[in-house]
Amino acid sequence: MGRLVNFQKGQGPERLFTLKFNTVAGKCRYWCKLDSSFVESVILVELGKVKVMDLDSGTSSTVGARVQAIPGRPAQHGETCKQCHSSGFAALYQFKQQNLPACKPVLTPATVIATFLLMGFIFIPLGLITLRASNSVVEIVDRYDIECIPEELRSNKLLYITDDSISKNCSRFLKVPKSMRAPIYIYYQLDNYYQNHRRYVKSRNDKQLLHGLGDNSTSSCKPLESSGDLPIVPCGLIAWSVFNDTFKFSSGSSELKVNRKNIAWKSDRNHKFGKDVYPFNFQNGPLIGGGKLDPNTPLSDQEDLIVWMRTAALPSFRKLYGRIEEDLDADDVIVVQLMNNYNAYSFGGKKKLVLSTSSWLGGKNDFFGVASLFIGTFCMLISIVFLLLHVKNPRPYGDAMYTSWNKKSSSS
């Protein structure tokens, strides 16, 4: 909805404006944008003259004008001001001028003290509840990267991890401190590992992961886009460095079965990794990074890779390895047979194995509970201080009629 106003200002050429209607104090006011510039003005149409008021500078000018109807619509007498009464444009004008109805509370000492007290009463119980949920999670953390190196090779860790003739088998014994109810989640944790490095994060090709060799634009995967003049699927540093330590668990004489299905996000499996895309020419170069992939299994079913490809934001992170779907009793001893294959020694990284249960809040994390307790306690202390100051040095309240918005409404 709009009308075209054609007028000439000074000696300049005619300029055409598209106007939108609004009504203020019974007069027709128009919003317009002057040609290609983005200057908003208010235009008053009175007796064939156009008054242009610049809202930014406050200047105004009056020029002769003639009103033309929009092509295809005949102009009728009185139609201009009828259209000005549109509530939509009135609301738009009030919004742009920041004149919409708004709540402007007067912050008296009583309301401020009550607000801080209310926040304390909310956050302190919330912090206690979340801390209790976090403490109900049973977690076992075992760092194995140093203990799994033979004593005579601990002074030369790189020789140990790069020499294929040295056995990487290792046994760890974990004691269950409390009863752990299924499912028990198995994570591997890496410290001092910067998956968020810019070159590392960009070294992948999402189209290739979904469509395979049909996508040839693998320049983003440098320096691992090809090997021996053949493309690599999946290409890039992230896939090349996939974690490849393996774990087997047993308790007593029975083996604990680990469910390794559905450890990756369903959206990643269905929409980011192709069901008809298979590894090709992967880890065939002179420099081997992490684990190898089964060339007969599509990428959408290789969930270890999918979990690894979702890069972490912090240098210390955990990734899901699997789930033990059996209950474990307190004081049970879990025997872990692992293959210490992954090279975290070259950059001073640490490797840990984590077994954890979960609560309604998720895994073990005390941050939210501690933060809630801190906020609640701080609000309670502030409210007590304000209350003491108000009782000791009370001040009379000012008359709310003298506030700027009330003075404006009363004058109008």
Side-chain angles (χ1 to χ4, degrees), residues 1-5 17-19 21 67-76 79 83:
M1 184 172 63
R3 181 172 297 282
L4 302 181
V5 173
F17 301 87
T18 301
L19 309 180
F21 304 105
V67 178
Q68 297 178 345
I70 301 175
R73 288 190 58 208
Q76 300 178 3
E79 180 186 9
Q83 292 175 342

Side-chain angles (χ1 to χ4, degrees), residues 330-346:
D331 298 328
D332 282 354
V333 177
I334 303 174
V335 180
V336 184
Q337 299 290 339
L338 63 89
M339 291 289 292
N340 186 24
N341 297 316
Y342 198 71
N343 182 9
Y345 305 102
S346 59

Side-chain angles (χ1 to χ4, degrees), residues 20-24 27-31 84 86 89-90 93:
K20 293 182 179 179
F21 304 105
N22 192 15
T23 299
V24 178
K27 294 184 179 181
C28 297
R29 291 196 179 187
Y30 300 79
W31 284 104
C84 289
S86 171
F89 290 114
Y93 173 79

Side-chain angles (χ1 to χ4, degrees), residues 143-178:
R143 180 181 175 182
Y144 64 88
D145 56 318
I146 300 297
E147 298 298 328
C148 285
I149 301 178
E151 288 282 352
E152 62 275 10
L153 293 175
R154 289 185 181 179
S155 60
N156 193 347
K157 303 181 182 66
L158 289 179
L159 175 63
Y160 161 77
I161 200 66
T162 56
D163 191 346
D164 293 335
S165 63
I166 301 175
S167 175
K168 304 299 188 298
N169 288 319
C170 180
S171 298
R172 302 292 295 163
F173 300 91
L174 309 178
K175 187 176 182 180
V176 180
K178 298 179 183 178

